[in-house]
Amino acid sequence: MNPAPPVTQMTEPMDDLLTKSQLDAAPILPRGFYQRPTLEVAGELLGALIVRRTDAGVVAVRITEVEAYLGVADPACHTFGGRRSRRNESMWGPAGHAYVYRIYGLHCCLNIVTVGDGTPEAVLIRGATTVHGGGLVADRRGPTVARRSWTDGPGKLCRALAVGLTDDGADLCSAEGALTVRRGAGAATVGEVERLPRVGVDYAGEAADWPLRLRLK
DNA sequence: TCTAGGATCGGCT
DNA sequence: GCCGATCCTAGAT
């Protein structure tokens, strides 16, 4: 006689929007996708899926909000003026890799490197909705956090996906990788995207007003 | 070596 | 809506 089923079955979310097989069927965005103008990439990342594999299981989110950071000519960007350091080294590398950094000593932010070939630009993933692995996310975010608040900020998103500094530089285009970005079933269509100024970059002068924050309505 | 400040979050009022 | 937490990073000296 077997006792009661394991607790994990109870935390298995009843409302995952995508199944494991649907995730596997979604094609990984190829490196060429990222080797284009950053704003173009940012717009097309809306609706795409970030799939995270760990020993604990698989979590997938659909990207709903991003910000474009335009490299050496963008005062809000970590590589403005050609700045290059250990922290932002990943931005100087090939496109399609992760750039993860710690902010305020507390949180991590996930970026995707674009363009490549010594053009250090990136797209910051600001917000997403969980489409698979909700039980795991609930465990990571804690019981007091409402579902809608699981991934509605860059730091929260990293916690939900268990993304940390060890993921800095990770290749997002490799099927074997623990972190991949896949084409979303319902990618954003023209007219559903609103363009806003970026958050928290007041120090960047007029660049703070550039409408490089893209959000699904 | 020192110091100021930050691409945030969550608790409290 | 406000404010404190917390520590890494880059720039100044």
Side-chain angles (χ1 to χ4, degrees):
Chain A
M1 274 306 176
N2 276 344
V7 175
T8 50
Q9 280 193 7
M10 296 178 64
T11 58
E12 198 65 30
M14 359 41 206
D15 47 359
D16 271 352
L17 298 177
L18 295 178
T19 65
K20 177 79 166 43
S21 53
Q22 283 176 310
L23 292 177
D24 289 338
I28 292 175
L29 294 175
R31 196 164 322 281
F33 174 87
Y34 304 102
Q35 293 168 325
R36 298 182 297 148
T38 299
L39 197 52
E40 206 173 305
V41 175
E44 292 182 32
L45 276 174
L46 290 173
L49 307 171
I50 300 176
V51 180
R52 172 61 155 171
R53 295 174 198 281
T54 64
D55 290 342
V58 176
V59 169
V61 300
R62 185 187 303 281
I63 300 171
T64 58
E65 188 174 345
V66 297
E67 284 181 0
Y69 285 85
L70 305 182
V72 298
D74 179 359
C77 186
H78 287 170
T79 55
F80 174 58
R83 283 197 297 254
R84 187 166 185 168
S85 64
R86 198 173 57 183
R87 177 173 73 150
N88 68 22
E89 188 59 33
S90 297
M91 280 190 78
W92 292 89
H97 285 246
Y99 167 44
V100 181
Y101 65 91
R102 189 185 297 282
I103 184 71
Y104 299 116
L106 296 171
H107 313 288
C108 288
C109 294
L110 171 64
N111 296 250
I112 302 175
V113 178
T114 56
V115 189
D117 289 328
T119 303
E121 302 188 13
V123 175
L124 167 69
I125 311 300
R126 281 201 68 84
T129 56
T130 305
V131 294
H132 183 88
L136 201 48
V137 174
D139 288 344
R140 287 173 180 160
R141 299 292 284 117
T144 61
V145 178
R147 185 185 179 105
R148 67 174 181 281
S149 299
W150 280 351
T151 52
D152 63 349
K156 298 176 186 180
L157 181 66
C158 283
R159 274 187 65 180
L161 293 175
V163 164
L165 295 180
T166 53
D167 295 295
D168 184 38
D171 185 2
L172 306 178
C173 306
S174 163
E176 290 80 39
L179 198 57
T180 52
V181 183
R182 294 168 182 261
R183 197 173 298 284
T189 56
V190 178
E192 289 182 321
V193 178
E194 55 184 340
R195 294 186 58 170
L196 305 159
R198 291 173 293 184
V199 173
V201 293
D202 293 344
Y203 59 85
E206 69 170 41
D209 297 325
W210 296 350
L212 298 181
R213 177 184 176 199
L214 308 182
R215 191 167 67 182
L216 284 181
K217 283 185 178 172

